[in-house]
Amino acid sequence: MGLLEGKVVIVTGAGRGIGRGEALEVVRQGGAVLVGEFDEVAGQEVVDEIVKSGGQAALVTGDVAEVEVAEKMVATAVAEFGGLDALVNNAGTLRDRTVIKMAPEEWDAVIRVHLRGHYTTTHAAANYWKEAGRPGHIVCTASTSGLLGNFGQSNYGAAKAGIAAFANITAWELRKYNVTVNAIAPAARTRMTEGAYGKIEETGSEFDFWSPDNIAPLVSYLCSDASAHISGKVFGVEGDVVEIYQPWTSVAEIGNGGTRWDPEVLATKIDGLLAEGGVAPEITNGMTRLRYSMTDRS
Ligand SMILES: NC(=O)c1ccc[n+]([C@@H]2O[C@H](COP(=O)([O-])OP(=O)(O)OC[C@H]3O[C@@H](n4cnc5c(N)ncnc54)[C@H](O)[C@@H]3O)[C@@H](O)[C@H]2O)c1
């Protein structure tokens, strides 16, 4: 018996890369999968591959940020497979550019697919679970770009940090409906990373550490009832490594005896606050805190 025996899972952006691996693993774990995909050819290929091997899969094409497309994914999963148990918000895209050069369209496109594309599906699925009185699981896709910051990705990083916040807040809101919401920050060799960083070679060893299929086991677990006690968390995942992130947290404070600060006085205190918190005043490259990186981020 797999972890998702008899379960129904939507995976957005499942036509290639990490989402494809997630869809195939859902089926390997005994579940049926609804592939949500912008690219009809890629989406159909994944559905055909699953059906050919005896699994259950269906396709809904369209932009995940469209409310109608998200609603159609939920309605199709219910109509084809008799219900919905989990949603994996994975679809995404990049438009890397420093903020000085970034066009408004590049900002909007990235914010739209990631943030609105998480809202539309979560809204539709959560309403289904509330009305049906069934438990559910949601996996959101954040990124180290949002958690740690990455040069040239202010649009993408802002969206991905927003997704971590979205997972935290919706986990809280949906707890009373027995719906868990967690997020992952994956790293894998895909069209997206090869577009951003160039060709990423296979390691040559038997285990292909950067294979996109390595993300799926954690995601299947987070889609299953075995993880029903875990919600509002952000996991890092790459190769055979699963990490847990600590959320933003306050590390030191100063006060002014219960009265409003004078800015000039405050100016003499802030360096001390940073020092007490162990926080450097100058910009730091968060990517140097990565435990694993497929590229040089120094
Ligand atoms: N690959 C990595 O190392 C990495 C790192 C951090 C986060 N991520 C995130 O993982 C997710 C998957 O990325 P990937 O690397 O597999 O990329 P990918 O480009 O290989 O696959 C993304 C898929 O999403 C689909 N898609 C894009 N926009 C869509 C839309 N509006 N509606 C429906 N489908 C849409 C694409 O057609 C594509 O099939 C993304 O959210 C990405 O930001 C990836």
Side-chain angles (χ1 to χ4, degrees):
M1 279 265 286
L3 267 183
L4 296 171
E5 209 64 49
K7 303 289 187 185
V8 181
V9 181
I10 294 173
V11 182
T12 70
R16 60 172 66 76
I18 292 170
R20 175 181 177 278
E22 291 167 341
L24 295 176
E25 188 64 43
V26 165
V27 174
R28 233 174 269 129
Q29 292 302 316
V33 71
L34 187 290
V35 170
E37 178 52 66
F38 196 66
D39 179 339
E40 189 169 355
V41 175
Q44 192 59 53
E45 268 175 24
V46 172
V47 168
D48 290 347
E49 185 179 344
I50 291 170
V51 171
K52 223 186 208 167
S53 67
Q56 285 185 291
L59 175 67
V60 169
T61 51
D63 177 0
V64 74
E66 296 284 351
V67 169
E68 300 71 28
V69 173
E71 284 174 351
K72 192 173 172 194
M73 285 184 205
V74 173
T76 307
V78 174
E80 294 277 327
F81 307 122
L84 179 67
D85 300 289
L87 162 69
V88 182
N89 287 316
N90 165 78
T93 189
L94 292 177
R95 298 280 190 282
D96 288 2
R97 196 89 62 191
T98 57
V99 72
I100 284 185
K101 295 181 191 145
M102 190 177 296
E105 298 75 24
E106 292 167 329
W107 175 268
D108 288 346
V110 169
I111 297 295
R112 181 181 160 83
V113 57
H114 291 283
L115 275 182
R116 194 177 150 103
H118 268 63
Y119 153 72
T120 51
T121 48
T122 300
H123 179 76
N127 273 289
Y128 164 76
W129 285 317
K130 181 184 170 204
E131 279 156 31
R134 286 171 65 133
H137 304 288
I138 300 174
V139 182
C140 300
T141 307
S143 166
T144 55
S145 177
L147 303 174
L148 303 175
N150 199 21
F151 189 92
Q153 293 193 323
S154 62
N155 50 359
Y156 180 74
K160 291 304 199 183
I163 285 170
F166 178 83
N168 181 20
I169 293 166
T170 54
W172 197 8
E173 292 175 356
L174 298 177
R175 180 174 54 175
K176 69 175 171 188
Y177 303 110
N178 293 317
V179 174
T180 65
V181 190
N182 292 288
I184 60 163
R189 182 196 325 102
T190 65
R191 180 183 70 164
M192 180 180 279
T193 47
E194 297 211 319
Y197 308 119
K199 182 135 185 66
I200 293 144
E201 299 297 341
E202 291 191 27
T203 49
S205 61
E206 214 167 283
F207 178 58
D208 180 11
F209 190 89
W210 296 115
S211 164
D213 297 344
N214 295 337
I215 311 304
L218 174 69
V219 172
S220 275
Y221 166 69
L222 293 174
C223 286
S224 77
D225 294 338
S227 68
H229 60 298
I230 299 172
S231 199
K233 302 293 172 282
V234 180
F235 293 89
V237 53
E238 57 269 296
D240 63 335
V241 176
V242 177
E243 308 167 74
I244 183 71
Y245 276 87
Q246 185 70 269
W248 280 104
T249 196
S250 162
V251 291
E253 66 168 73
I254 49 171
N256 196 36
T259 56
R260 182 180 301 156
W261 283 100
D262 175 319
E264 285 186 27
V265 176
L266 188 58
T268 66
K269 303 286 184 189
I270 295 293
D271 284 346
L273 171 66
L274 267 64
E276 194 188 328
V279 176
E282 68 275 6
I283 175 71
T284 50
N285 177 358
M287 281 292 164
T288 58
R289 298 207 304 276
L290 281 174
R291 288 169 194 265
Y292 299 88
S293 179
M294 65 182 98
T295 57
D296 180 12
R297 306 290 184 94
S298 56

